[in-house]
Amino acid sequence: MADNKRPESMERITTPELAQAFIDEQLAALRAQIGDKKVLLALSGGVDSSVVAALLIKAVGKQLTCVHVNHGLLRKGEPEQVIEVFRNQMNANLIYVDAVDRFLDKLAGVAEPEQKRHIIGAEFIRVFEEEARKLDGIEFLAQGTIYPDILESGPVKAHHNVGGLPEDLQFELVEPLKFLFKDEVRVVGKALGLPDGMVYRQPFPGPGLGVRCVGAITRDRLEAVRESDAILREEFAKNGLAGKVWQYFTIVPDFKSTGITNGLRTYDWPVVIRAVNTVDAVTAEVAELDFKLVAHITERITHEVKGVNRVLWDVTPKPTGTIEWE
Ligand code: XMP
């Protein structure tokens, strides 16, 4: 990929009109690039891959095959929602792969963040390889790469690294969003007619809850991440914060502390809550929330999530803290 610099002449996409111009241009470019060939897309259900899917469904319809891999690190209810929206409502070719045990077995005992990312990325490639081999004549691989992924150093979107595919499966890349910032991706998604619930959905990293289950992933701690995340999302939605706070999620560190429940001493994990606002994910500030809501969410998590006795709120801006904990 020689050309990885956003053209200086490219206007920032802030309006439906500019988004439509971008879409028209991309539809023509995608049709020219893909022709009558077939294209494969890793559809995680996040904003970026959903917008890429919508663009490609418009551009080449059934020539696109979406693969949704459930690696066990997805949010509660997410695989079901991806199937509903893309297979049932948008009539896309969608292959659902249940790879939960496969990923979690590979990740067992691995604590180092980049090694975890690497395992998840490599396993993704293997799953794709298997799916691609089952399909005839795939020539292109579409990806939801956006500009911050290119700008920031480090293996962001590790699963997008296709360097590991074997020689006989060297797909040509299709990256229609690679010069867009996140806010622009949302404007484009809206203009494509995607539902608001999808367009304004908070970003979700490729390695998913895996980077929020700090250290070596265990199934019980992963479940605590998933359940606490579901409570946080439910409360944010109920309180009108869902489309307003840019990214909010929970983290479960790999240490325990003492607590007390129903008069009995406990020794359980804390849940850390991170809620941040940003325009482009390069810098971020902590969302200011009503303290009553903070207390209510804390109470729900400590009472409803198994193995958790404490809630901590992360009030660190980026920099110095990254948005994710790993
Ligand atoms: P950080 O933690 O670097 O995150 O401040 C910036 C944005 O990128 C997301 N992120 C990732 N997305 N794969 C992804 O697809 C990753 O490995 C990854 N790490 C961070 C993060 O959620 C935030 O929106």
Side-chain angles (χ1 to χ4, degrees), residues 48 114 117 148-149 152-153 155-160 182 202-208 211-212 246-247 249 274 276 278 280-284 318 321-326:
D48 305 338
E114 293 316 321
R117 271 197 176 77
D149 304 330
E152 287 188 37
S153 56
V156 171
K157 294 201 174 173
H159 69 285
H160 288 166
K182 193 66 126 190
Q202 53 172 328
F204 189 60
V211 293
R212 298 172 183 174
W246 196 82
Q247 196 171 14
F249 55 87
R274 186 116 173 97
V276 296
T278 174
D280 53 19
V282 177
T283 62
K318 175 185 181 179
T322 47
I323 295 176
E324 303 289 346
W325 267 42
E326 283 191 337

Side-chain angles (χ1 to χ4, degrees), residues 59-71:
V60 298
K62 294 276 186 184
Q63 287 162 248
L64 170 71
T65 298
C66 302
V67 177
H68 180 60
V69 178
N70 184 355
H71 50 24

Side-chain angles (χ1 to χ4, degrees), residues 88-151:
N88 301 348
Q89 293 174 21
M90 295 180 76
N91 197 29
N93 279 331
L94 174 73
I95 296 170
Y96 170 75
V97 186
D98 179 348
V100 176
D101 288 340
R102 191 169 152 171
F103 275 81
L104 295 187
D105 288 351
K106 279 241 154 58
L107 286 163
V110 181
E112 206 280 311
E114 293 316 321
Q115 207 185 336
K116 286 164 70 177
R117 271 197 176 77
H118 179 81
I119 289 171
I120 296 165
E123 202 56 22
F124 248 103
I125 290 166
R126 252 164 247 138
V127 172
F128 273 123
E129 183 186 338
E130 289 173 16
E131 293 309 315
R133 287 193 195 286
K134 288 183 208 159
L135 300 165
D136 254 356
I138 298 285
E139 291 195 17
F140 296 91
L141 185 66
Q143 295 182 1
T145 314
I146 66 171
Y147 206 39
D149 304 330
I150 293 171
L151 290 180

